[in-house]
Amino acid sequence: RHLLEATNAMDGKVLSKEPPDIENVLALNPRIPRHASLMPTTATQKARQHWKRNQTKGCTTCGSLKNNFDDVKHTTMSERAALREAGRCLKCADAPCQKSCPTQLDIKTFIGNISTRNYYGAARAIFSDNPLGLTCGMVCPTSDLCVGGCNLYASEEGPINIGGLQQFATEVFKNMRLPQVQDPSLPLSEELPDSYHAKVALCGCGPASISCATFLARLGYTNLTIFEKYDYIGGLSSSEIPQFRLPYDVVSFEVELMKDLGVKIELGKGLGDNGVTCRSLKQEGYEAVFLGIGLPEPKRFPAFEGLTSSHGYYTSKDFLPLVSRTSKPGMCDCSSNSLPSLSGNVIVLGCGDTAFDCATSALRCGAKRVYVVFRKGFTNIRAVPEEMQVAVDEKCEFMPFVSPKKVIMKGDKIVGLELVRTEQNDDGTWVEDEDQTIKLKCSYIMSAFGSELGQTAVAAAMAPVKMDRWGLPEVDPVTMQTSEKWIFCGGDLDGVTHTTVEAVNDGKQAAWYMHKYLQSLHGLFVPKEPCLPKFFTPIDSVDISVEMAGLKFENPYGLASATPTTSAAMMRRAFEAGWSFALTKTYVLDKDIITNVSPRIVRGTTSGHIFGPGQGAFLNIELISEKTCAYWCQCITELKRDFPTKIVIASIMCGYSKEDWTLLAQKSEEAGADALELNLSCPHGMGERGMGLACGQDEELVRNICRWVRAAVKIPFFAKMTPNITSIVGIAKAAKEGGATGVTATNTVSGLMGVNTKGVAWPNIGKDQRTTYGGVSGNAIRPIALRAVSAISNALPGFPVMAAGGIDAADVALQFIQCGAPVVQVCSAIHNQDFTIVDDYITGLKALLYLQSIDELQDWDGQSCPTVRHQKGKPVPKLMDLIGKHLPSFGPYMKERESIVAQHKEEVAPLDQSKPEVHRPVFQPKKPVPTVQDMVGIALPRITSYNDLDNKQQAVAIIDEEMCINCGKCYMTCNDSGYQAITFDPETHLPHVTDDCTGCTLCVSVCPIIDCITMIPRPTPYLPRRGIPLAVEAVS
């Protein structure tokens, strides 16, 4: 390319036209059409098959699924998808989604945490209310529960994928490999009364027992034992929910979290086995027993009496455990066993979740076609839509309104099933019409009619518990106590629970009332109001306090002098929420009191057409506080009296008057303020009155004002900087020379957010619709604020800086800390949500600091783990390893991919396709956890002048074709904004970076898939394209 340019220059060719090789690169670059398009329908019909990504309607079978237990959930998400979906959530007041969750999960909090990339905080919120949060994120019937109450159902884009977000956050936490620990605020186990060492037995290691044991252990109980009949943990989660919906390592992970708290498990010892009964447990000294054994027996239909798997008949409780044992790595030591071998047609009877699990599992065991047969119609299907959709996608057939009548046998093998038509009478009852029958050929029949207690030995082992008319224990729905006060019950066994999450809540409910019962046995009082401890890890003990200017801040987060501190009552609520400091809204002497206009605070336009929360910017023409100096001085006194550990900073403003500044500063100090902030930067309104910006843009005025205040008070004070100036460093130096303790960087940026098509701005005032330049705040000004903080910190080492401007997450706060500001002020983020966001910021910062001490996580970016090669959030095999080439995921290439993967899966047994995940031992810090103070300013040495940058160390882009979704955004931006260094294949739409890449990084910036394009060191020296070589003269 360089030689060609030189030759063209020498030959006098036109240089303002692209050379032929670039024209070839630009072949698919967008062009504005000059005419209407014309294409025969037949050509389009052919073309769309080439580009098709979804399933073809005419397809009656999908590719082979034999041995393929890869994730099939529609809800699974990558980090990109999770961030986008979490950003859609409104985080509603009194959120209906939470009220629809059996465990009352704080859904808006955990989704809010995800939106700020605080995945630990999200997982902590989830596990606090649901110890099986990952399991439930994968298998919860969310459309019937939390999602069913989502307020976004009332909008066009539809409800939030709550289950997918829950799965994402808890999986990220799983990869952190951290232990669960006791609530640090509770007494140590050796300090607790003897009642906390009472022996408690839990029968069955399913969701209800795991939940109950976890909450009891969090309360401080030290002698908890789960007795499990089988040689594996997890109950039905392990044995009857297939690997492609719920991997065994998920169950194992959650059980390990429970065991972190000291809970013991004894396998091969179940209720009714080897003499284990409720009475025997009591005789062994167990003061309370929890029954969470589920319903162990399948309900049977008379037509199938005497039939077994040898004939081709399975119940769901026969078939699904066989599949699980031979497809779930780590579940049991049975690697030599193979999946049940099916062939031909399989009929599955039932229409609940279990029936669909049988149907989709049958395909993976070799069935060629699966019929799901059920008595009622599609409107009566019990399974949740998410579960049914998988069966639809995998081409299972559905036969409603029929009931089994007779099994057709040939010798000792099933060859068919006779079915009878069912109809619903006007009174709602269902009847069978014997005149309408149908025979269906099949090789196997599976029944999924539900479960029952059945076993007399198990029922007898529950004595002396009273049974109801259905043969199940009588259970108080609130306390979960049976007729025997020392025996509690939950899960399927109570006859009310139908889902995993409801079983979890039964265990949670039982734990509290078991706690009350056990303490009453020892004569100890338990508060009436339930107070179950939350989920904790070592992260929660990280100290994020910091000292600045002689002041001790509990954490780096405070409220800026703005609308969140309109009143002292609001500051009080903020302190109660956990904010460590707050600035009053700026107040003045009574002679300078103001009255605001309205409207005055509007959404920004810098993030595009986003409506609702999540605004990237706001613009305001609000002035300072309308309240008097006397009000604020009294409130400062009250707040310091009631919150002595919190920092209260008085924000004050005057004109260029020594007397005024002296008087107002002294009044504020006398009121008890910990520090002052001198508002020298309000960008609108006040400057016209000789205040705010009018003072803050002149170094001499700033220097003198600071001298006056320094002479008037002894407490620290900070001059608030304006960004609306050529050099903010000069103003900061003037403040320091005047005796200021530090500065705040920065106030809002003066701007005009926009005008409508009629030339009217928003906000506008009165009939004349006039406006003025207002203050822009939020994420839009973050780069300006970061520059100001880092520039001041580099120029004035050790000079305290408080940061303000676009802080809306813990990782953003850490950026400002690393740029030199020990504490940060927040405003616009509260506009978008509420005061409770501080909990997100606190847990997020603790996690960011703690994870830096874990050597095994050094390749993480904050709380983001390395991106796994994926499509639709699910890992994809590297085809280069299988066939030596890349293939896109559409049309004929997708079919080829599926065929290659299917062939590979068929050749490898499920248990050999992956190894069990390892969750323990946990990752331990190999070095001290850094403090906030350790982080202050660590980025500054890397922020330098342009001339200090090394133009010899170049980088180039590389594209991961397995993750590419073939959109061509990288190709287009490189063509029309860059260096024409990416080709775009017309058939595969796979982009390729050529040797002409200059490393500009535009492609990375516009790529919609995280880490699909990355930058790597350039392998060859960089030779700029000069157009005309330096030694050649231009041709005139």
Side-chain angles (χ1 to χ4, degrees):
R1 174 76 71 78
H2 298 278
L3 182 60
L4 179 62
E5 288 179 349
T7 302
N8 288 341
M10 296 293 290
D11 293 346
K13 292 184 179 179
V14 177
L15 298 182
S16 59
K17 288 186 177 181
E18 300 285 7
D21 63 325
I22 297 300
E23 288 293 348
N24 291 333
V25 170
L26 297 175
L28 296 179
N29 205 48
R31 291 173 172 79
I32 298 173
R34 303 301 180 188
H35 309 283
S37 300
L38 188 66
M39 181 68 67
T41 299
T42 54
T44 302
Q45 289 174 340
K46 182 178 180 181
R48 75 182 182 215
Q49 294 304 315
H50 180 83
W51 305 110
K52 194 170 182 62
R53 288 185 181 269
N54 58 353
Q55 291 189 354
T56 304
K57 287 185 178 180
C59 179
T60 56
T61 60
C62 60
S64 172
L65 291 170
K66 189 173 182 181
N67 291 350
N68 190 341
F69 286 81
D70 292 345
D71 183 4
V72 298
K73 297 184 293 298
H74 297 83
T75 54
T76 300
M77 308 178 99
S78 65
E79 183 174 25
R80 168 191 179 272
L83 290 170
R84 290 175 69 92
E85 188 72 355
R88 277 205 314 125
C89 178
L90 302 179
K91 295 93 179 175
C92 306
D94 200 29
C97 56
Q98 180 172 333
K99 295 175 181 294
S100 304
C101 173
T103 61
Q104 299 296 292
L105 205 62
D106 193 347
I107 294 169
K108 72 174 183 179
T109 290
F110 91 68
I111 294 180
N113 281 226
I114 292 174
S115 70
T116 60
R117 293 181 69 197
N118 178 15
Y119 306 137
Y120 170 72
R124 183 176 183 271
I126 293 165
F127 287 124
S128 286
D129 275 304
N130 184 342
L132 282 79
L134 179 48
T135 289
C136 290
M138 289 185 167
V139 303
C140 248
T142 54
S143 58
D144 286 346
L145 302 172
C146 52
V147 172
C150 178
N151 285 330
L152 279 174
Y153 251 122
S155 69
E156 300 86 342
E157 65 265 35
I160 297 298
N161 177 5
I162 297 173
L165 290 172
Q166 183 171 327
Q167 175 186 337
F168 171 78
T170 47
E171 280 195 311
V172 173
F173 173 76
K174 175 167 70 76
N175 293 332
M176 293 179 183
R177 269 177 63 177
L178 301 177
Q180 180 173 195
V181 300
Q182 296 282 357
D183 182 344
S185 67
L186 295 179
L188 298 175
S189 60
E190 56 267 24
E191 299 172 353
L192 291 168
D194 290 342
S195 55
Y196 285 87
H197 306 299
K199 292 177 67 175
V200 178
L202 302 99
C203 297
C205 192
S209 293
I210 296 170
S211 174
C212 184
T214 298
F215 280 108
L216 286 172
R218 289 181 190 174
L219 284 163
Y221 288 91
T222 61
N223 207 342
L224 306 170
T225 305
I226 295 178
F227 297 100
E228 169 54 50
K229 174 181 180 180
Y230 296 103
D231 60 350
Y232 55 83
I233 55 176
L236 299 191
S237 296
S238 296
S239 63
E240 296 191 26
I241 301 180
Q243 173 80 359
F244 51 83
R245 286 185 58 220
L246 181 62
Y248 181 75
D249 72 87
V250 170
V251 179
S252 173
F253 157 69
E254 290 167 336
V255 169
E256 290 295 340
L257 286 179
M258 174 190 73
K259 289 166 66 178
D260 288 339
L261 300 178
V263 179
K264 299 178 287 292
I265 301 175
E266 291 192 24
L267 298 177
K269 190 174 182 180
L271 191 68
D273 290 342
N274 302 318
V276 178
T277 66
C278 289
R279 285 195 174 105
S280 71
L281 290 171
K282 191 172 183 67
Q283 290 170 359
E284 291 176 25
Y286 289 95
E287 297 185 37
V289 173
F290 178 81
L291 303 177
I293 61 171
L295 297 174
E297 290 296 312
K299 291 181 179 178
R300 297 181 182 272
F301 198 74
F304 306 115
E305 283 298 326
L307 295 178
T308 66
S309 59
S310 64
H311 303 102
Y313 171 73
Y314 294 90
T315 68
S316 61
K317 288 190 172 293
D318 298 327
F319 177 66
L320 291 176
L322 285 175
V323 175
S324 292
R325 282 180 170 274
T326 52
S327 63
K328 292 191 171 187
M331 178 174 167
C332 57
D333 185 19
C334 47
S335 57
S336 60
N337 294 343
S338 59
L339 288 168
S341 180
L342 305 182
S343 60
N345 293 348
V346 174
I347 295 176
V348 177
L349 301 169
C351 62
D353 292 334
T354 302
F356 287 109
D357 283 339
C358 287
T360 50
S361 294
L363 291 171
R364 288 156 176 80
C365 294
K368 296 303 179 185
R369 188 177 297 277
V370 175
Y371 296 90
V372 181
V373 176
F374 44 100
R375 295 178 61 249
K376 300 178 182 179
F378 282 96
T379 56
N380 299 106
I381 286 180
R382 299 195 313 275
V384 294
E386 304 95 309
E387 179 88 4
M388 178 180 170
Q389 189 59 46
V390 174
V392 172
D393 292 345
E394 296 183 355
K395 308 304 179 184
C396 293
E397 302 287 351
F398 295 81
M399 294 187 65
F401 302 113
V402 288
S403 180
K405 181 181 180 182
K406 179 183 177 182
V407 178
I408 302 172
M409 306 286 293
K410 188 174 182 179
D412 61 352
K413 296 293 182 183
I414 292 172
V415 295
L417 180 64
E418 185 176 353
L419 302 160
V420 61
R421 174 78 175 179
T422 59
E423 295 179 349
Q424 190 173 24
N425 293 332
D426 292 341
D427 62 0
T429 59
W430 289 85
V431 296
E432 296 180 353
D433 184 354
E434 297 287 348
D435 294 331
Q436 300 185 71
T437 61
I438 183 174
K439 292 181 179 179
L440 194 62
K441 290 182 179 180
C442 65
S443 302
Y444 299 90
I445 297 173
M446 298 179 189
S447 62
F449 298 136
S451 306
E452 59 188 3
L453 185 56
Q455 298 179 359
T456 55
V458 175
M462 296 181 188
V465 172
K466 291 182 180 178
M467 300 293 187
D468 60 21
R469 57 177 176 159
W470 294 283
L472 299 176
E474 292 182 356
V475 180
D476 185 307
V478 175
T479 66
M480 309 310 295
Q481 284 176 299
T482 65
S483 57
E484 299 297 313
K485 298 304 181 184
W486 56 281
I487 301 177
F488 295 74
C489 179
D492 291 347
L493 188 61
D494 67 16
V496 177
T497 297
H498 304 293
T499 62
T500 299
V501 69
E502 289 173 337
V504 171
N505 195 59
D506 284 354
K508 179 181 182 181
Q509 193 82 3
W512 176 253
Y513 288 98
M514 192 180 290
H515 170 56
K516 292 188 70 173
Y517 168 76
L518 289 169
Q519 296 307 306
S520 68
L521 292 181
H522 294 260
L524 297 175
F525 170 76
V526 173
K528 184 177 181 181
E529 189 71 23
C531 47
L532 289 170
K534 299 173 77 171
F535 178 79
F536 290 90
T537 75
I539 285 177
D540 298 293
S541 296
V542 173
D543 181 5
I544 58 170
S545 64
V546 63
E547 290 191 22
M548 183 187 70
L551 302 174
K552 177 69 176 290
F553 296 82
E554 296 172 344
N555 59 65
Y557 303 113
L559 302 184
S561 174
T563 51
T565 59
T566 294
S567 71
M570 295 169 68
M571 295 172 66
R572 177 179 291 274
R573 286 192 286 114
F575 285 154
E576 291 169 348
W579 297 88
S580 77
F581 71 99
L583 288 88
T584 66
K585 204 163 190 331
T586 302
Y587 58 92
V588 293
L589 295 171
D590 289 354
K591 67 184 183 68
D592 296 319
I593 203 76
I594 61 92
T595 299
N596 279 304
V597 297
S598 65
R600 60 182 179 272
I601 306 172
V602 300
R603 57 179 287 272
T605 57
T606 56
S607 298
H609 301 292
I610 295 176
F611 298 90
Q615 294 298 322
F618 292 90
L619 178 137
N620 81 87
I621 55 173
E622 179 164 295
L623 300 181
I624 57 176
S625 176
E626 295 177 324
K627 293 181 169 59
T628 63
C629 172
Y631 167 86
W632 282 112
C633 287
Q634 180 177 333
C635 288
I636 289 170
T637 303
E638 293 175 1
L639 290 171
K640 284 305 300 179
R641 179 195 64 208
D642 297 342
F643 300 94
T645 64
K646 304 292 185 179
I647 303 298
V648 178
I649 302 175
S651 176
I652 58 176
M653 178 188 287
C654 299
Y656 191 64
S657 165
K658 179 179 181 180
E659 291 76 16
D660 289 354
W661 280 108
T662 299
L663 178 59
L664 191 54
Q666 289 177 341
K667 281 179 174 286
S668 303
E669 182 181 43
E670 290 167 3
D674 293 293
L676 307 177
E677 182 178 84
L678 314 186
N679 189 335
L680 307 176
S681 50
C682 184
H684 50 269
M686 303 311 294
E688 298 164 29
R689 306 179 185 206
M691 308 168 79
L693 191 70
C695 298
Q697 290 181 321
D698 186 292
E699 293 181 16
E700 186 60 25
L701 299 187
V702 170
R703 187 179 294 109
N704 287 337
I705 291 172
C706 289
R707 284 172 177 163
W708 299 336
V709 174
R710 182 72 290 158
V713 299
K714 296 180 179 178
I715 58 176
F717 70 89
F718 298 79
K720 191 167 188 178
M721 301 285 97
T722 173
N724 305 296
I725 192 170
T726 303
S727 174
I728 198 169
V729 172
I731 301 297
K733 286 181 177 179
K736 183 179 182 182
E737 291 165 2
T741 309
V743 294
T744 299
T746 70
N747 209 322
T748 55
V749 177
S750 182
L752 180 68
M753 196 54 75
V755 296
N756 65 17
T757 54
K758 296 180 180 179
V760 177
W762 181 247
N764 59 72
I765 311 301
K767 295 179 180 179
D768 294 336
Q769 297 182 314
R770 294 180 181 274
T771 194
T772 187
Y773 300 116
V776 180
S777 64
N779 294 356
I781 72 164
R782 185 190 301 158
I784 298 169
L786 277 169
R787 184 193 187 283
V789 169
S790 60
I792 294 170
S793 297
N794 258 331
L796 302 171
F799 190 49
V801 179
M802 286 197 290
I807 294 118
D808 67 348
D811 61 346
V812 175
L814 185 58
Q815 294 175 42
F816 279 93
I817 292 168
Q818 292 170 333
C819 285
V823 298
V824 297
Q825 301 178 15
V826 180
C827 171
S828 295
I830 300 171
H831 292 344
N832 276 317
Q833 192 53 40
D834 55 61
F835 286 144
T836 62
I837 59 174
V838 71
D839 189 59
D840 172 5
Y841 299 175
I842 289 171
T843 59
L845 183 57
K846 287 182 175 183
L848 290 169
L849 295 176
Y850 187 85
L851 296 182
Q852 291 193 36
S853 69
I854 307 293
D855 288 347
E856 292 86 348
L857 304 181
Q858 291 310 297
D859 57 347
W860 286 42
D861 176 19
Q863 295 192 50
S864 297
C865 53
T867 304
V868 176
R869 182 178 285 107
H870 68 90
Q871 288 274 341
K872 296 183 179 179
K874 300 177 178 67
V876 295
K878 191 173 182 181
L879 289 190
M880 184 63 72
D881 295 340
L882 296 178
I883 60 172
K885 65 177 180 179
H886 297 291
L887 292 172
S889 296
F890 60 80
Y893 309 109
M894 181 168 66
K895 291 181 179 179
E896 186 178 354
R897 288 179 70 99
E898 291 172 348
S899 176
I900 293 167
V901 171
Q903 181 179 349
H904 174 68
K905 295 286 186 181
E906 285 190 23
E907 295 171 352
V908 183
L911 292 178
D912 295 330
Q913 293 176 15
S914 62
K915 294 181 179 179
E917 288 194 22
V918 177
H919 310 299
R920 296 296 181 271
V922 298
F923 292 151
Q924 297 286 356
K926 301 295 194 304
K927 49 195 172 188
V929 177
T931 65
V932 173
Q933 199 65 53
D934 293 335
M935 293 287 105
V936 175
I938 67 168
L940 296 177
R942 296 184 180 91
I943 302 173
T944 182
S945 65
Y946 185 87
N947 287 339
D948 290 332
L949 306 181
D950 185 358
N951 64 8
K952 303 297 183 185
Q953 300 185 55
Q954 297 283 341
V956 292
I958 185 170
I959 300 172
D960 188 327
E961 295 182 353
E962 298 293 343
M963 285 211 290
C964 178
I965 63 171
N966 319 105
C967 64
K969 296 302 294 182
C970 56
Y971 166 74
M972 291 184 286
T973 193
C974 189
N975 284 340
D976 286 3
S977 299
Y979 300 87
Q980 303 83 51
I982 297 179
T983 61
F984 197 56
D985 189 281
E987 293 297 319
T988 65
H989 277 188
L990 287 173
H992 175 71
V993 179
T994 71
D995 292 340
D996 292 324
C997 177
T998 67
C1000 75
T1001 325
L1002 266 174
C1003 56
V1004 177
S1005 301
V1006 301
C1007 179
I1009 304 301
I1010 297 173
D1011 289 340
C1012 179
I1013 307 179
T1014 52
M1015 302 301 292
I1016 62 173
R1018 186 182 185 92
T1020 59
Y1022 173 56
L1023 299 175
R1025 290 160 52 187
R1026 304 293 185 187
I1028 295 178
L1030 294 173
V1032 178
E1033 295 291 331
V1035 177
S1036 60

